[in-house]
Amino acid sequence: MMRTLMIAGYGMAGHRLAEEVLALDADEEWRIVILGEELYPAYDRVCLSGYLDGRSRADLMLPGRDFLQHPRAQLWLGCPAVGGDPASRTVRTADGSCLTYDALVLATGSRPFVPPVPGHDLPGCFVYRTFDDLDAIRAHARPGRNGVVVGGGLLGLEAANALRLLGMTPHVVETGPHLMPAQLDRGAAAVLHRHVTGLGVAVHCGTATVSIDSHPARTVRSVTLSNGTVIDTPLVIFAAGVRPRDDLATALGLERADRGGFLTDKLCRTSAPQVWAVGDCAAVGGRCYGLVAPGYRMAGSVARQVLGLEAEPLEDIDTSTTLKLLGINVATFGATGHQGAMEAAFAEDTRYAKAVFDADTGVLLGGILAGNTGTPTTLQPFIGRQPPADLEQLLLPA
Amino acid sequence: MTAPLDPAALTCTTGAAGVVPIRTVEDCATLTPKVALVLGDGALAVEAASALATRGVRTGLVCTAPRPLYHALGEVASRMVTAHLEDAGITVLGGAQPTRCSDGVLHLADGSDLPADALIVAGQATGPGEQLRLRSALVDVAVLGEPDAAEHPGTRQITLTDPRHQRYAQLTINDHKIIAGVLVGLPQAIATLGLLHRRGQYLPADRLGLLLDLPPRPCSTDTAPPLQDAVICLCNNVTRRALAAAWRSGARTQSALATATRAGTGCGGCGPAVQELCGIWADERQAQEAAA
Amino acid sequence: MSDLPILAAETDTHCPYCALQCGTRLQGDREIGVKVQPLAGFPVNAGRLCQKGWTAPELLHTPDRLTSPLLRQGDQLVPVGWEQALGVVARRLRTLRAQHGPDVVGVFGGGGLTNEKAYLLGKFARVALGTSQIDYNGRWCMSSAAAAGNAAFGIDRGLPFPVTDLQEAQVVLLAGANPAETMPPLMQHLERADLIVLDPRRTPTAQRAALHLQPVPGTDLALALGLLHAVLEDGPADKSYIQQRTHGFPEVAASVGEWWPERTEQVTGVPAHDIRRAARLLAQAERAYVLTGRGVEQQSKGTDTAQAFINLALALGLPGRPGSGYGCLTGQGNGQGGREHGQKADQLAGYRSITDPEARAHVAAVWGIRPQELPGAGRSAFEMLDALGTPEGPRALLVFGSNPIVSAPHSARIEERLAALDLLVVADFVLSETAQAADVVLPVTQWAEEDGTLTNLEGRVLRRRALLPPPPGVRSDLEVIRDLAIRLGQPPHRFPDSPEAVFDELRAASAGGRADYAGVTYERLEAGEALHWPCPAEDHPGTPRLFTDRFAHADGRARFVPVTYREAAEDLSNQYPLYATTGRVLAQYQTGAQTRRIRELNDAAPQAFVQVHPDTAARHGLTDDTPARVTSARGSLTAPVRTDPAMRLDTVFVPFHYTGDGRANALTNPAIDPRSGMPEFKVAAVRLEPAEEEPAA
């Protein structure tokens, strides 16, 4: 008897889950029903900027023809889950259908956070998450004019790059003391800063957006910052963070984590039986990750569990990131946030590398890289060990 | 930068507090107060305070700068120096404004009064980038090289921060030579880098190892040499392989192995290693016999 | 003729190599082979032995053993009979002496010769040859420490206490000594102590240390001054000891005023923190020793350096206190006896001064000549070698038990001087490199073929006993000396060739001297008595510990002797930017003339090498095993690189046991210490580069 796996949400983690289940299901016992909100199949959101740089939606799409035509995979696009009852194993969709499942996995992702400043909802203000968002930004772009990006993190720099590709002069506004404050330290951010300003991106750190100012015609005229700067611009992109989409928690009677997201244990299990969560919406052990690699690990673990296979609880979730932004490599590896750790930073004009060590044992814990440095792959094997004698050469190759 | 403290500006009325201006640390060698206060921001003040405290005098160090050696070392390094001095029992008071002393008491602008038998005024300031090797048994501090070295294009800066053990180093390197450095709490690195800098000689590739005085470690690409070739007894050039062969032929104790291979008959230093091997091989044999 | 030793299947004797003179039992004969076992009952080695001692019997059947005298004819050395060989020698000596006077002949002895050979050689030089030109390779052993010891204590005896006393120590400072490699059986006596090891290299001894001080080569004197400053600053020096047992403290205390730890660090590269720590360890120990070795002594300021360490020991109140002291670790098997009994240019038997009228009178009387007939002091070893074949220098050289072509500093100079001689005579048991250059080679006995005595590093007189008779054609050095003396007109009774008879005369000659052997007899030694000199009478037990009541100066007090720092004799430069230091490896001994003939030792240490930090090597285009050329102002050597990440970045190390292209002394600086005559073996300025594939045409 065929059993049903329902996946609510069809982003990167949701798609990976479906692929893994199909790959592991040698006995063909499971069919998969995917309820996606967007009108397109899952796409590579990490490479979203490529959409403005010549890549088409089809190029960025994740499922191949085999998947889309797979007999045991049903794709319901534009038909998100809106409620259900885990006790009776049912889910209700936006178009009114009521479906039953044997296993339910929530993969609803996250939504952009828009700070509630005056003018945040004016025409000319956008978020940066979907193909639709990018189409709208493209339509509104004015080459030669300024464009403001609120948020100097990963996504904000992506958006700044997008504005560059559209011929505008990006201004990035970041409340933290430097760019990418969640991943980088001052030294790495300085290298990044030098690089991006060299490309014509203006950076305003240590200041917040006070208001989006409008023309009488109610379109964006300028952005005022807390340090007094007023930036003349017709376009604002909010890239100030994401919030997990856990609305279904109420409808399904599931527990939420303190700071949002479906609360799960280290096996991604929510508070209801046979209901898991993966990706940005999952608060594994109470914590959301917002990164693709952890989301994929969650998908892999849940796929095994659904099929009744052994799965290890997720420990040591690697929050390292490797990015190429605006032509510069930026990455973290291992863990960089330990209090009281010993740190060794190596800085040159155009590149920076920092290694973090356990203060008592001296073993390598992780590090931060910016510019033409060694890669996390080269350094990963030495985490938890004494640093090799040529660590500096690995961090900053000749 | 704050102007050096002028002893004349400290008006003193009668009292036991001797105001002793010093020019070198030797100037306080003969002082034997029970409680001493040293006034000053620079190296001389820290050296004097260290010398007194090392001799058992209850010592306080009063600075007008936020911390002693603040201008010479910068924020992080001067904080660590303060921590070392405090660990040694010196009371450090930064950002102070001394106004006058009377009857063995130093008065500060904020109203506090500090009693002392001797008030040592070490007014010489130490500027940023000034070469320095602090004379102190309580903390290792060195500043070497050119003050604006970091401005040179093409340099590399290495910054080591170890808040747990209060160790710090910032080195500026050009063409594999050290052109400037600030170091706190790293005695071996200070000695080695001082020499390399003075002689204009090349740094080793393993700068982290030099800073932390780490034992030699393998490179990322090194493979370990075959275990069997390891020489266990240097005095008689006996390899692990040779010991294993003797063990297999029946020499099961340390002294039997000594008779068979001469291991341990020279300096005796391989004794623990040979014992350990006997243990390992005995366990292996037991395990093999149990499995059979 | 002399009495042949009884052919014994077994005999107790001592190892032929270093000053430890480990007690061994030999068994066997030339047909079945000889086996060696260490003696558990001899307290110095207590049953231990290093690889050299274990393999020493192989020397007895080395295939290239010299069994007949050799005479140079053109390029060749041709076997001849003894009569002819000795006849040639005597005739040519007579001719040269007639033409140029007695100082035309030089005698170069060795620190491995027995007391009997050393004594008779000294007598031969002064009486049969009438020459002042006698010295020995022991000049390059402990002469600096001896000069410093004499100045401080009024006497010097290497270790003025038995080695077993070291077991009492809580802290031992080893300055410039590497016993874990050069005297492994000594290490058992140091097991309990915390070791502070002072060495520019991280040797096996340094690896065992509680604290390793790793100075720039040639700066040991500064480090000693810095240690004394730190000791004096740390807490009160042993005031009652200083007041009651010494002179001269205030001047020395003042002289180290400028050597505060951070300044010492800048000169030596040793962290101030470690200097303070070493001082604290020493000052807080109830029982401590300061021991010096060649590393600090073989420098142009070696005597002053040893002096500074003695000053340190005195300030700590160590010499003469039970369980504490200062000592020098003698290197050569009979480095002590060799000098005490007359091989040294300025000494007569009994550690007497050749310029002291009373000493001259005493010894002349024993020798049956008038004091005026005794020559005065001659040149020290290198100085003599340097003068050979020059208008004012000796034109003939007789070499016994030494191989100066390999062991002397500045090899190029030595070879040139030896080639300029009219007559070079070498007595040895194998064709050493120096013998290969000789005009006449005389084959003599080796250790297990002879009887005699040696004096080990504790000043203890030990019996060397023969196991085997020598091969046919081989004679003892005593026989050779006697024969030559007679040919030079000496009455036979003056030159006995029986070891015991020579020793009895030595006893008389040393009686009343500082190194008084008068009470030591073969009989007492056979009975197993442990006799440390001075032993002035046959019922005197000997003196294991010196200085327990008084020092040897007239007033009974030790002297603090102030010394001033100066740098090594040559500076680094752009042309020579690295330091080279030389030293030993465990498996080879001295010039390798013996040990390089033993297969097992050659397997362990087959060839010269240049030990260097891998980064320094890389910077010079070198990696492990690649051939390197090391060049100083005096010459070059070529040897494969051995990288070691524990080496100082600025220093290379070469062992001195090898010859040919790998000869370490091609580099060394003969800058001589003015107080001791010691050359600066331990620091030279060099450059490093890859060796060419082909030798230059």
Side-chain angles (χ1 to χ4, degrees):
Chain A
M1 235 294 289
M2 191 76 76
R3 286 186 282 172
T4 301
L5 164 65
M6 190 151 300
I7 305 177
Y10 191 36
M12 299 176 78
H15 175 71
R16 175 58 69 94
L17 172 68
E19 276 188 327
E20 294 274 313
V21 168
L22 289 176
L24 289 170
D25 187 17
D27 297 338
E28 301 190 356
E29 291 179 342
W30 287 85
R31 66 177 188 128
I32 305 177
V33 174
I34 302 175
L35 305 172
E37 180 180 65
E38 290 189 63
L39 292 171
Y40 321 98
Y43 49 93
D44 187 350
R45 216 185 292 286
V46 173
C47 298
L48 192 61
S49 307
Y51 184 53
L52 292 172
D53 198 16
R55 299 184 80 189
S56 68
R57 295 182 189 217
D59 291 333
L60 293 169
M61 194 147 57
L62 290 173
R65 177 171 299 209
D66 290 344
F67 184 90
L68 292 170
Q69 294 175 348
H70 201 287
R72 287 183 283 117
Q74 271 183 45
L75 200 48
W76 295 35
L77 296 175
C79 188
V82 297
D85 177 27
S88 58
R89 307 241 185 126
T90 53
V91 160
R92 272 180 302 110
T93 65
D95 69 356
S97 313
C98 186
L99 310 166
T100 49
Y101 62 81
D102 293 288
L104 173 63
V105 180
L106 306 165
T108 48
S110 51
R111 66 167 64 83
F113 166 69
V114 177
V117 296
H120 72 268
D121 50 358
L122 286 169
C125 287
F126 305 94
V127 292
Y128 193 86
R129 186 163 176 88
T130 65
F131 284 138
D132 288 343
D133 292 332
L134 265 56
D135 283 335
I137 289 168
R138 183 174 10 217
H140 201 86
R142 305 268 192 282
R145 297 281 311 275
N146 292 332
V148 171
V149 177
V150 175
L154 226 52
L155 201 62
L157 293 171
E158 291 263 1
N161 194 35
L163 291 177
R164 251 187 82 235
L165 292 168
L166 294 168
M168 297 182 76
T169 303
H171 285 248
V172 174
V173 179
E174 165 59 49
T175 53
H178 54 76
L179 295 173
M180 289 185 68
Q183 285 87 10
L184 303 184
D185 64 1
R186 207 175 275 274
V191 168
L192 179 60
H193 184 112
R194 231 172 276 131
H195 181 85
V196 307
T197 51
L199 292 174
V201 175
V203 177
H204 309 261
C205 286
T207 182
T209 309
V210 165
S211 62
I212 318 282
D213 321 309
S214 66
H215 285 297
R218 266 192 56 81
T219 55
V220 175
R221 171 172 58 93
S222 63
V223 171
T224 302
L225 306 183
S226 58
N227 67 5
T229 313
V230 176
I231 308 169
D232 169 65
T233 178
L235 187 156
V236 178
I237 301 178
F238 288 102
V242 294
R243 297 287 181 271
R245 297 186 63 179
D246 58 9
D247 320 305
L248 283 173
T250 317
L252 297 174
L254 302 174
E255 281 184 50
R256 278 195 181 80
D258 288 340
R259 281 185 283 173
F262 299 106
L263 181 62
T264 78
D265 61 11
K266 298 225 170 143
L267 287 167
C268 301
R269 299 181 297 196
T270 68
S271 48
Q274 291 298 102
V275 181
W276 290 263
V278 298
D280 285 4
C281 69
V284 178
R287 183 187 158 177
C288 286
Y289 284 84
L291 295 168
V292 171
Y296 280 359
R297 273 190 73 190
M298 297 175 207
S301 172
V302 172
R304 294 182 66 81
Q305 292 176 59
V306 166
L307 291 167
L309 299 169
E310 284 259 359
E312 295 284 320
L314 290 170
E315 303 282 2
D316 299 324
I317 293 185
D318 182 4
T319 53
S320 62
T321 44
T322 310
L323 319 142
K324 197 170 171 83
L325 302 160
L326 294 148
I328 183 171
N329 291 321
V330 174
T332 65
F333 63 95
T336 56
H338 280 223
Q339 290 283 45
M342 179 169 71
E343 300 185 344
F346 304 86
E348 293 177 352
D349 290 337
T350 60
R351 55 184 190 161
Y352 175 92
K354 179 167 86 179
V356 179
F357 307 90
D358 183 284
D360 297 311
T361 63
V363 303
L364 183 65
L365 297 174
I368 298 174
L369 305 162
N372 192 11
T373 65
T375 63
T377 319
T378 341
L379 292 153
Q380 193 73 31
F382 298 100
I383 293 181
R385 291 161 53 179
Q386 293 295 325
D390 57 343
L391 179 68
E392 187 178 341
Q393 286 70 34
L394 294 179
L395 291 168
L396 294 182
Chain B
M1 228 179 68
T2 23
L5 289 160
D6 179 4
L10 284 172
T11 55
C12 249
T13 55
T14 56
V19 177
V20 185
I22 59 168
R23 286 183 316 107
T24 71
V25 69
E26 274 88 9
D27 290 344
C28 48
T30 50
L31 299 174
T32 50
K34 285 227 241 340
V35 177
L37 280 178
V38 178
L39 265 69
D41 298 346
L44 181 60
V46 178
E47 290 179 348
S50 299
L52 290 162
T54 311
R55 280 195 279 128
V57 175
R58 257 192 56 210
T59 310
L61 177 56
V62 180
C63 315
T64 51
R67 245 173 262 115
L69 289 170
Y70 185 79
H71 300 293
L73 304 181
E75 170 71 41
V76 177
S78 66
R79 190 168 354 114
M80 290 190 179
V81 169
T82 303
H84 283 285
L85 296 175
E86 288 175 336
D87 282 347
I90 297 178
T91 310
V92 179
L93 195 61
Q97 291 168 291
T99 53
R100 61 188 181 84
C101 66
S102 63
D103 288 332
V105 174
L106 177 68
H107 302 275
L108 304 181
D110 68 357
S112 33
D113 300 326
L114 309 174
D117 301 324
L119 193 62
I120 290 120
V121 184
Q124 270 94 311
T126 309
E130 202 177 299
Q131 301 248 20
L132 165 65
R133 179 64 184 97
L134 196 77
R135 287 177 62 172
S136 166
L138 305 180
V139 60
D140 301 288
V141 179
V143 176
L144 35 93
E146 313 145 23
D148 51 1
E151 312 299 313
H152 296 204
T155 60
R156 178 180 296 187
Q157 276 225 323
I158 301 180
T159 308
L160 175 76
T161 323
D162 179 9
R164 174 79 55 85
H165 306 109
Q166 306 292 356
R167 303 187 293 178
Y168 175 87
Q170 184 166 84
L171 308 182
T172 306
I173 297 172
N174 197 4
D175 182 33
H176 302 286
K177 296 185 182 173
I178 177 166
I179 57 177
V182 172
L183 298 109
V184 175
L186 295 166
Q188 183 65 66
I190 286 172
T192 308
L193 288 169
L195 212 53
L196 291 176
H197 178 253
R198 269 194 304 284
R199 299 229 205 103
Q201 288 177 334
Y202 287 106
L203 290 163
D206 182 9
R207 272 84 77 121
L208 194 64
L210 186 156
L211 284 172
L212 295 171
D213 195 23
L214 299 176
R217 301 170 318 293
C219 281
S220 58
T221 48
D222 284 347
T223 46
L227 196 61
Q228 297 304 315
D229 289 339
V231 175
I232 306 295
C233 169
L234 288 166
C235 292
N236 287 283
N237 203 29
V238 183
T239 59
R240 184 183 172 125
R241 181 180 288 115
L243 284 165
W247 199 87
R248 283 195 297 274
S249 306
R252 296 292 150 87
T253 61
Q254 212 172 334
S255 75
L257 286 167
T259 307
T261 64
R262 293 202 236 116
T265 60
C267 71
C270 63
V274 173
Q275 273 285 48
E276 196 187 338
L277 287 173
C278 284
I280 291 173
W281 291 328
D283 288 345
E284 277 176 11
R285 175 159 277 231
Q286 238 183 17
Q288 282 167 6
E289 280 165 2
Chain C
M1 286 306 278
S2 56
D3 295 321
L4 283 169
I6 297 167
L7 282 171
E10 176 179 295
T11 196
D12 288 351
T13 184
H14 298 268
C15 177
Y17 297 118
C18 80
L20 217 47
Q21 288 293 292
C22 293
T24 56
R25 173 163 297 169
L26 300 179
Q27 289 170 316
D29 59 39
R30 259 185 237 282
E31 281 74 49
I32 64 178
V34 175
K35 288 206 126 33
V36 63
Q37 282 293 319
L39 284 175
F42 187 65
V44 176
N45 61 313
R48 299 252 179 110
L49 202 56
C50 81
Q51 198 179 21
K52 299 186 294 295
W54 281 110
T55 54
E58 281 181 48
L59 289 169
L60 295 167
H61 48 259
T62 182
D64 58 348
R65 181 68 190 272
L66 293 171
T67 53
S68 99
L70 302 171
L71 186 61
R72 178 163 299 279
Q73 285 171 12
D75 294 346
Q76 306 284 358
L77 282 169
V78 169
V80 295
W82 277 99
E83 269 302 304
Q84 186 180 0
L86 293 173
V88 164
V89 174
R91 187 167 32 82
R92 293 171 74 176
L93 289 179
R94 277 196 299 268
T95 310
L96 284 167
R97 293 174 68 229
Q99 287 171 344
H100 302 284
D103 276 0
V104 76
V105 183
V107 176
F108 199 88
L113 297 176
T114 59
N115 290 323
E116 291 79 358
K117 296 187 223 180
Y119 171 81
L120 207 66
L121 192 62
K123 184 179 186 183
F124 175 80
R126 275 102 184 198
V127 177
L129 295 174
T131 180
S132 65
Q133 301 302 295
I134 172 169
D135 208 78
Y136 74 140
N137 65 11
R139 175 73 63 172
W140 304 326
C141 178
M142 50 183 294
S143 60
S144 293
N150 279 318
F153 308 122
I155 196 175
D156 134 71
R157 195 186 79 185
L159 293 185
F161 46 79
V163 299
T164 45
D165 277 9
L166 292 170
Q167 294 169 9
E168 309 276 318
Q170 292 163 325
V171 176
V172 176
L173 172 64
L174 286 169
N178 179 18
E181 261 191 303
T182 61
M183 287 182 164
L186 183 75
M187 296 308 289
Q188 64 189 296
H189 305 300
L190 296 172
E191 258 158 33
R192 245 183 292 152
D194 280 338
L195 299 180
I196 303 170
V197 173
L198 199 158
D199 196 310
R201 295 168 58 217
R202 190 162 176 79
T203 60
T205 313
Q207 285 169 36
R208 306 242 205 131
L211 180 56
H212 176 204
L213 307 177
Q214 200 169 359
V216 172
T219 63
D220 313 85
L221 175 49
L223 189 49
L225 297 171
L227 285 169
L228 181 55
H229 182 284
V231 161
L232 296 181
E233 230 184 29
D234 210 26
D238 190 336
K239 289 210 169 78
S240 63
Y241 177 99
I242 291 175
Q243 269 163 17
Q244 287 158 19
R245 302 208 60 188
T246 72
H247 264 323
F249 175 71
E251 197 187 341
V252 162
S255 76
V256 298
E258 297 286 292
W259 290 97
W260 59 84
E262 288 80 11
R263 176 164 176 241
T264 307
E265 170 192 291
Q266 291 186 320
V267 173
T268 64
V270 174
H273 172 270
D274 285 355
I275 295 171
R276 288 189 173 96
R277 192 167 151 227
R280 207 173 320 124
L281 279 171
L282 285 164
Q284 286 173 354
E286 269 175 39
R287 292 177 306 282
Y289 288 89
V290 172
L291 303 177
T292 59
R294 301 305 81 68
V296 303
E297 298 163 9
Q298 281 181 340
Q299 299 181 32
S300 58
K301 55 184 184 289
T303 310
D304 283 1
T305 306
Q307 201 79 65
F309 282 103
I310 295 174
N311 288 339
L312 177 65
L314 287 172
L316 292 163
L318 305 180
R321 239 181 45 210
S324 296
Y326 162 82
C328 152
L329 291 172
T330 315
Q332 297 173 306
N334 198 20
Q336 299 213 14
R339 70 135 186 265
E340 271 129 43
H341 297 304
Q343 285 188 100
K344 211 158 161 252
D346 56 352
Q347 267 168 224
L348 291 171
Y351 210 146
R352 291 183 146 103
S353 166
I354 204 169
T355 51
D356 170 23
E358 273 181 45
R360 294 167 65 86
H362 176 93
V363 174
V366 172
W367 288 352
I369 60 173
R370 293 168 301 144
Q372 309 86 293
E373 292 175 72
L374 277 176
R379 296 182 180 89
S380 74
F382 180 80
E383 290 166 323
M384 186 197 335
L385 294 172
D386 201 31
L388 296 177
T390 64
E392 307 79 31
R395 294 168 199 249
L397 188 69
L398 311 179
V399 177
F400 283 80
S402 185
N403 189 11
I405 275 190
V406 183
S407 61
H410 196 347
S411 312
R413 177 80 181 148
I414 299 305
E415 285 195 357
E416 174 199 286
R417 293 293 93 226
L418 288 174
L421 286 170
D422 293 348
L423 175 67
L424 174 62
V425 180
V426 174
D428 209 323
F429 72 93
V430 286
L431 201 66
S432 70
E433 288 77 12
T434 308
Q436 286 168 36
D439 299 301
V440 183
V441 180
L442 304 173
V444 290
T445 53
Q446 55 168 302
W447 59 302
E449 301 159 355
E450 57 193 28
D451 273 83
T453 61
L454 292 91
T455 307
N456 77 354
L457 76 174
E458 323 165 284
R460 178 175 168 175
V461 184
L462 306 175
R463 270 289 268 124
R464 169 179 282 183
R465 295 191 186 85
L467 176 72
L468 314 164
V474 171
R475 297 189 181 177
S476 74
D477 301 69
L478 299 179
E479 289 174 302
V480 168
I481 292 168
R482 172 189 169 85
D483 201 314
L484 281 175
I486 292 170
R487 287 169 198 264
L488 291 171
Q490 292 294 315
H493 72 266
R494 206 177 261 167
F495 288 90
D497 60 13
S498 129
E500 189 163 5
V502 175
F503 189 73
D504 279 336
E505 194 185 300
L506 178 163
R507 294 168 53 210
S510 73
R514 283 184 292 180
D516 194 329
Y517 282 46
V520 181
T521 65
Y522 272 35
E523 208 180 313
R524 293 183 74 186
L525 294 174
E526 295 309 320
E529 290 194 57
L531 299 175
H532 302 250
W533 65 259
C535 180
E538 290 191 38
D539 56 1
H540 190 284
T543 319
R545 286 171 199 91
L546 297 176
F547 312 146
T548 49
D549 298 319
R550 63 195 314 279
F551 295 95
H553 287 296
D555 63 4
R557 289 173 179 252
R559 302 273 184 277
F560 281 92
V561 180
V563 292
T564 315
Y565 181 70
R566 53 204 182 282
E567 292 178 341
E570 65 185 2
D571 272 332
L572 298 185
S573 61
N574 285 335
Q575 200 188 6
Y576 303 116
L578 296 172
Y579 293 110
T581 191
T582 61
R584 293 174 52 191
V585 300
L586 190 152
Q588 300 285 358
Y589 185 69
Q590 310 305 51
T591 68
Q594 299 172 92
T595 51
R596 275 184 288 115
R597 288 174 157 81
I598 295 178
R599 192 191 42 79
E600 190 184 315
L601 297 179
N602 281 337
D603 286 345
Q607 60 179 301
F609 55 85
V610 180
Q611 190 180 34
V612 59
H613 190 287
D615 291 356
T616 306
R619 203 168 285 291
H620 291 86
L622 294 162
T623 55
D624 255 314
D625 287 331
T626 57
R629 181 163 50 252
V630 183
T631 308
S632 78
R634 291 157 292 282
S636 290
L637 69 72
T638 304
V641 164
R642 211 179 270 189
T643 61
D644 178 1
M647 277 299 282
R648 296 183 57 82
L649 289 161
D650 57 9
T651 303
V652 304
F653 168 80
V654 287
F656 63 74
H657 310 292
Y658 303 96
T659 182
D661 287 339
R663 186 169 41 170
N665 277 314
L667 307 173
T668 50
N669 189 353
I672 301 288
D673 180 315
R675 291 175 67 187
S676 63
M678 173 71 82
E680 187 144 275
F681 287 105
K682 290 297 181 181
V683 51
V686 297
R687 66 168 180 274
L688 180 68
E689 58 210 333
E692 289 124 15
E693 297 287 328
E694 313 282 330

